[in-house]
Amino acid sequence: MENVDLNRRKFVQFMGGAAALAQSSLLTSCATGTNYKVDKTVTPKRSDEVELSYGLTYDLVVKWGDQINSKGDTFGFNNDYLAFTPIEGKDDEAILWANHEAPSPMFVGGYDGKRRTKSQVDKERYSVGGSLVKIVKGCCGKWEVDSDSEYGRRLTATTPIPYSNNETIKGKKTAIGTLANCAGGVTPWGNILTCEENYENFYGEYFYKEKKKKRAAYGWDKFYNLHPYQYGWVVEVNPFTGEAKKHTGIGRYSHECATCVKASDGRTVVYSGDDRDNEHIYKFISKKEGSLSEGELFVADIKNGKWLSLDINKNETLKQNFKTQLDLLIDTRAAAKMVGATPCDRPEDIEIQPGTANVFVALTNNKRKGNYHGSILRISEKDGDFLSMEFSANDFVVGGEKSGFSCPDNLAFDKNDNLWMVTDISGGSIGKPPYESFGNNGLFYIPMKGPNSGKAFQVGSAPFDAEFTGICFSPDFKTLFLSVQHPGEKSKDLKNLRSNWPDGGENIPRPSVIQVYGPLLDKLMS
Ligand code: FEO
Ligand code: CA
Ligand code: CA
Ligand code: CA
């Protein structure tokens, strides 16, 4: 499957500079139950390779264009969120879900920046959505794709997906496709939640109470007249059947993620952020156990530590401005502002620390407000109760030169309650002021206990223009699955490629899923 120089990527060791040595000496006693010392962290890199700390190595799992089933379906573009579903009774077979966020018109359809064709757009429509891929543990414990499996499926921008709870939007009970699939979550019953984030780039958007349509950056609306209200939702997918539905109750906005937790009474609480400057953090509480079809949506008033209801029947202003609860949910952002929600600096991923029940929110940046490096916000629900309407919040870590990272994005907790984080300095900003010192985007490990609690240690560096996304551990924590998204995205044309990862040579870059493993990971998980 691979056509790469394996020696380049195996056990890459970094002697680094003074910064690396200073960092490495700090990384002691970081894993619960061990006194393990990481010999080398990664100093910020500017290279076209996945570079990892000594003791970590990686192999490809699947890349854009790989066959995933016997019908000939192929893995989509720009993979982001990953979720691992074990196949019952087997520890060496699983279904891996991957979101496919956005196309590169140049790489996917051959768009030359001049003439846009329907056939190019059709290729792009196939490249987004999600993939279900059967993976099996093969030689030496490495995961490989079963390219003929019946579990291999694609959801694309053309897959019909009904709204849950029998809702009708613009006269239709079914949306055409899913797109802009960024991060996600897993329900307590094992279904995948995939989140439609920057949906307005595909078919545009109507602003609240305005008739004017916002232009769609990808220009699909030139060839397909699909209403933007079909997108911006959280989509639930059964990983075994591919059956999907769009949940209206969780609201419509640029959903980064949908992080689920089971409340004390069995209902499900879903935390989600709206990744746009000055937008908000939300939580949804389901009405019933085992279903997200109905429930109540709340938005965070961080200053006063209160969750504010977005139920039209509980607020006069909401009642005056919206005809129905569904109208309100379609314009969730406008409703949130009416009740006094706190503007945030682009909420990205949200994770709940299993040992404390604290909720961590990556606030990636807000350049318009002069916040270039972002932070991670820690929310503590009153009495640790996810159903509570009150909480306290404070900065857990703040990005910048001192902390050594910038623009936090996806998060994940490991089996020892320690935090893993990836960063997303945008492709056009990497290496430029004020981001020069951070190198390419990175993978970081943040101990949550001991003398290094809250310190970020860089353990991985991404290829040119890429970000790591979709941090996902296998159930035995021996493998860390990672997406490598948009390598070489700033390439001017196909003759001036900024990245050739992962195939090297003169090959075009291909977004891929990698598996990271090795003695360092084993030590940190012991
Ligand atoms: Fe797709 Fe907010 O990242
Ligand atoms: Ca993200
Ligand atoms: Ca996550
Ligand atoms: Ca981001």
Side-chain angles (χ1 to χ4, degrees):
M1 179 174 92
E2 299 172 42
N3 177 25
V4 289
D5 175 359
L6 289 174
N7 290 326
R8 269 182 78 208
R9 54 150 81 158
K10 297 281 182 195
F11 291 93
V12 185
Q13 296 184 36
F14 300 102
M15 299 313 291
L21 293 171
Q23 277 199 338
S24 66
S25 64
L26 291 170
L27 233 177
T28 53
S29 307
C30 52
T32 303
T34 68
N35 191 24
Y36 186 68
K37 181 178 174 188
V38 174
D39 294 320
K40 294 287 176 284
T41 51
V42 173
T43 49
K45 296 288 176 212
R46 292 287 282 142
S47 80
D48 192 30
E49 185 46 280
V50 172
E51 302 200 357
L52 298 168
S53 275
Y54 180 73
L56 295 177
T57 188
Y58 82 96
D59 284 289
L60 287 188
V61 179
V62 60
K63 62 187 175 187
W64 168 52
D66 284 351
Q67 183 180 315
I68 59 162
N69 62 24
S70 56
K71 290 188 292 182
D73 277 318
T74 54
F75 193 69
F77 197 77
N78 267 351
N79 43 285
D80 196 306
Y81 178 72
L82 302 172
F84 183 105
T85 304
I87 293 178
E88 212 174 324
K90 296 172 185 156
D91 60 9
D92 56 356
E93 294 187 18
I95 300 168
L96 188 70
W97 165 270
N99 279 2
H100 298 298
E101 185 167 16
S104 155
M106 179 171 74
F107 293 134
V108 170
Y111 175 54
D112 60 4
K114 293 173 194 147
R115 194 169 153 262
R116 197 87 165 108
T117 67
K118 187 160 178 278
S119 122
Q120 287 166 347
V121 168
D122 287 344
K123 284 180 186 158
E124 293 170 24
R125 292 177 92 206
Y126 183 77
S127 77
V128 301
S131 289
L132 289 161
V133 179
K134 185 182 173 192
I135 54 172
V136 295
K137 218 185 232 180
C139 162
C140 316
K142 284 186 217 162
W143 292 94
E144 295 167 0
V145 171
D146 175 352
S147 59
D148 288 323
S149 171
E150 64 193 20
Y151 291 121
R153 294 175 208 276
R154 282 299 316 278
L155 274 78
T156 74
T158 64
T159 309
I161 303 176
Y163 302 110
S164 67
N165 213 22
N166 207 27
E167 294 283 13
T168 301
I169 296 178
K170 292 283 162 193
K172 301 211 162 68
K173 290 191 178 295
T174 297
I176 302 301
T178 183
L179 42 77
N181 309 75
C182 186
V186 179
T187 67
W189 48 97
N191 280 350
I192 313 295
L193 298 179
T194 174
C195 294
E196 299 178 337
E197 191 194 29
N198 296 314
Y199 58 90
E200 73 276 12
N201 290 337
F202 298 84
Y203 301 109
E205 169 68 317
Y206 289 99
F207 296 110
Y208 174 65
K209 286 191 174 173
E210 283 183 20
K211 292 274 183 289
K212 202 176 96 197
K213 192 168 169 231
K214 183 180 184 283
R215 195 183 146 259
Y218 292 116
W220 290 8
D221 52 344
K222 198 173 153 196
F223 301 98
Y224 295 96
N225 183 25
L226 295 177
H227 201 285
Y229 289 176
Q230 300 187 52
Y231 313 100
W233 303 109
V234 173
V235 186
E236 180 176 345
V237 182
N238 181 321
F240 293 96
T241 65
E243 190 189 352
K245 55 191 161 188
K246 294 202 178 196
H247 288 298
T248 53
I250 311 175
R252 177 174 172 274
Y253 50 88
S254 290
H255 283 278
E256 170 76 20
C257 69
T259 304
C260 295
V261 64
K262 206 167 174 175
S264 50
D265 64 359
R267 290 183 291 162
T268 301
V269 176
V270 184
Y271 292 91
S272 188
D274 186 351
D275 181 5
R276 179 178 283 194
D277 285 352
N278 308 320
E279 291 300 335
H280 311 295
I281 297 167
Y282 297 84
K283 92 170 171 184
F284 169 86
I285 301 177
S286 74
K287 189 172 174 186
K288 297 175 190 155
E289 281 187 49
S291 168
L292 301 177
S293 290
E294 295 173 89
E296 188 168 353
L297 187 62
F298 301 86
V299 67
D301 170 355
I302 296 172
K303 199 171 153 211
N304 295 305
K306 291 203 179 335
W307 291 106
L308 309 171
S309 176
L310 291 173
D311 183 334
I312 195 168
N313 295 315
K314 291 186 178 174
N315 183 299
E316 272 310 312
T317 309
L318 296 178
K319 218 182 269 182
Q320 282 163 16
N321 278 280
F322 298 100
K323 283 200 204 94
T324 65
Q325 182 67 22
L326 183 59
D327 285 341
L328 181 159
L329 291 165
I330 286 170
D331 278 312
T332 303
R333 282 175 179 154
K337 283 162 190 62
M338 287 172 200
V339 299
T342 303
C344 295
D345 292 348
R346 294 188 50 201
E348 295 253 28
D349 203 7
I350 300 176
E351 286 294 335
I352 298 160
Q353 188 181 22
T356 64
N358 285 329
V359 181
F360 290 78
V361 185
L363 300 174
T364 195
N365 62 57
N366 190 339
K367 293 178 188 173
R368 285 197 286 170
K369 278 192 172 169
N371 175 1
Y372 288 90
H373 303 301
S375 61
I376 299 179
L377 182 78
R378 176 170 42 201
I379 293 175
S380 305
E381 297 278 22
K382 192 177 177 196
D383 303 325
D385 179 3
F386 298 112
L387 300 173
S388 175
M389 291 297 113
E390 291 174 43
F391 62 90
S392 59
N394 63 343
D395 283 337
F396 168 60
V397 283
V398 177
E401 301 224 345
K402 199 168 158 210
S403 50
F405 70 88
S406 182
C407 305
D409 195 322
N410 295 146
L411 308 170
F413 282 97
D414 66 23
K415 69 178 281 201
N416 291 321
D417 249 14
N418 294 317
L419 185 62
W420 294 68
M421 169 185 75
V422 287
T423 55
D424 177 19
I425 303 168
S426 69
S429 298
I430 294 171
K432 294 179 188 159
Y435 299 107
E436 304 101 304
S437 66
F438 301 100
N440 289 355
N441 281 309
L443 168 68
F444 293 80
Y445 169 79
I446 305 179
M448 299 297 281
K449 284 186 225 143
N452 296 310
S453 176
K455 288 188 178 145
F457 295 93
Q458 186 166 0
V459 293
S461 174
F464 282 134
D465 299 353
E467 63 174 304
F468 291 129
T469 58
I471 311 167
C472 172
F473 290 100
S474 61
D476 62 5
F477 290 90
K478 288 192 167 302
T479 305
L480 167 58
F481 294 96
L482 261 189
S483 281
V484 180
Q485 200 193 44
H486 55 74
E489 71 167 349
K490 291 291 166 188
S491 301
K492 215 165 64 192
D493 53 52
L494 293 172
K495 290 194 178 120
N496 292 283
L497 297 174
R498 286 176 47 83
S499 172
N500 308 101
W501 189 88
D503 294 334
E506 302 294 309
N507 289 293
I508 60 166
R510 286 182 183 268
S512 306
V513 178
I514 60 171
Q515 53 192 314
V516 176
Y517 57 97
L520 174 57
L521 192 65
D522 293 343
K523 283 286 182 185
L524 294 175
M525 300 302 146
S526 62

